[in-house]
Amino acid sequence: MAQTLMATINKNAVQEMVTILSNKRVGAYHQILLNVGDIVKNCRPGNFVAISVGGDTSKLILRRAFAISRVSESSQYGGTMELIVAPHGSGSKWLCSQLEGAEIDIVAPLGTAFGIPTEPISALLIGGGYGSAPLFGLADVLKSRGCKVDMLLGASVGSKIYAPMEGKRSVNSLKIYTEDGSMGETGRVTENLLNIVKDRNIDVIYSCGPMAMLSAITALVADTDVIHQCAVEESMACGIGICMTCVLPVRNEDGSTSMLRSCIDGPVMDGSTVRWDLVGKVPEVSS
């Protein structure tokens, strides 16, 4: 039954027990590396993984969803998957407490991926907090396609900017914003966005972070020709399309609104189609 369900979600999704190769503290987050074998062949930037947390005797019966930061194939381990996890809730705290060599139960890859251009373009990647994690793998893919890649990273404080030095190595240019001014410029990533878009001739914005940030970016570029692909940060209680807790209001072509599951129709969505004014509300939806 589970295999049939997963086939309707993502044809490449598989459930496997995988081994934790390393678990390192990086600032406010944990960088967790998993040995996932051939799963990496079907992972794309924007996909996520659903992990069974808490152990065999846990009351945490639902899986937890985590964005895939990047995947790679190495001669030593085969396929590896990197996750950036903030130890906030009970599930993420449990995952961050796991030691090297521990085995965990995952389902991957899940969700939609960022659209990759067939020709070189100018791309702007915008990340908020640990939401920036999947953008590093995306930057690698875009640069391999000959794209010019700039990045903006933002957070409330400097300690919540994930791997700023890695960001500098991954893109053509990196600008950091913090609300308290403890790192980079004081302010938010949206402060000077339209000028950056104009000055660097940006064609596509790829973003991942808090919903308020994604909404603000969409509003700012609404009157431009810039495409905005965003990975929504909607709470996913199961990650595999069962619980219906991650629905988002999305505008249809005829102007009506449908509630779509972000774990199946997302997490990557066209920002211009999301009804940001109705997020968190109960709209009148089409049947």
Side-chain angles (χ1 to χ4, degrees), residues 20 22-24 30 32 54-55 91-104:
I20 295 178
S22 66
N23 181 350
K24 301 176 182 178
H30 281 251
I32 299 175
S92 57
K93 286 180 179 177
W94 176 88
L95 181 59
C96 290
S97 72
Q98 299 306 292
L99 303 178
E100 179 180 322
E103 290 197 341
I104 58 174

Side-chain angles (χ1 to χ4, degrees), residues 192-224:
N192 199 34
L193 181 58
L194 285 180
N195 287 333
I196 292 173
V197 166
K198 181 179 179 181
D199 292 345
R200 301 181 186 179
N201 297 312
I202 300 300
D203 299 301
V204 180
I205 290 176
Y206 298 94
S207 67
C208 185
M211 299 292 267
M213 184 193 86
L214 307 184
S215 174
I217 294 170
T218 301
L220 284 169
V221 301
D223 295 327
T224 72

Side-chain angles (χ1 to χ4, degrees), residues 31-225:
Q31 180 190 64
I32 299 175
L33 190 66
L34 306 175
N35 185 354
V36 297
D38 289 339
I39 290 177
V40 299
K41 298 182 185 301
N42 294 312
C43 292
R44 303 290 181 268
N47 288 156
F48 67 94
V49 56
I51 301 177
S52 178
V53 297
D56 295 338
T57 61
S58 173
K59 295 180 180 179
L60 302 173
I61 59 174
L62 292 175
R63 292 177 180 269
R64 297 296 190 268
F66 299 95
I68 298 172
S69 176
R70 53 160 54 106
V71 295
S72 64
E73 294 185 70
S74 69
S75 57
Q76 184 178 3
Y77 297 112
T80 60
M81 175 186 294
E82 179 186 276
L83 308 178
I84 307 304
V85 182
H88 289 158
S90 54
S92 57
K93 286 180 179 177
W94 176 88
L95 181 59
C96 290
S97 72
Q98 299 306 292
L99 303 178
E100 179 180 322
E103 290 197 341
I104 58 174
D105 182 335
I106 73 167
V107 179
L110 292 169
T112 55
F114 289 109
I116 305 300
T118 56
E119 298 179 356
I121 61 163
S122 293
L124 179 63
L125 279 52
I126 305 178
Y130 70 95
S132 61
L135 299 181
F136 293 110
L138 174 62
D140 294 338
V141 174
L142 290 172
K143 291 186 74 174
S144 73
R145 299 289 180 89
C147 297
K148 181 178 178 292
V149 183
D150 297 304
M151 181 180 282
L152 306 179
L153 297 181
S156 57
V157 297
S159 62
K160 292 186 177 181
I161 296 290
Y162 173 71
M165 293 307 297
E166 181 176 356
K168 288 183 178 180
R169 291 191 294 267
S170 300
V171 297
N172 293 92
S173 71
L174 170 66
K175 197 167 223 181
I176 292 173
Y177 295 85
T178 52
E179 293 181 27
D180 69 347
S182 56
M183 183 182 293
E185 296 187 16
T186 303
R188 298 179 176 177
V189 291
T190 51
E191 296 281 333
N192 199 34
L193 181 58
L194 285 180
N195 287 333
I196 292 173
V197 166
K198 181 179 179 181
D199 292 345
R200 301 181 186 179
N201 297 312
I202 300 300
D203 299 301
V204 180
I205 290 176
Y206 298 94
S207 67
C208 185
M211 299 292 267
M213 184 193 86
L214 307 184
S215 174
I217 294 170
T218 301
L220 284 169
V221 301
D223 295 327
T224 72
D225 294 327

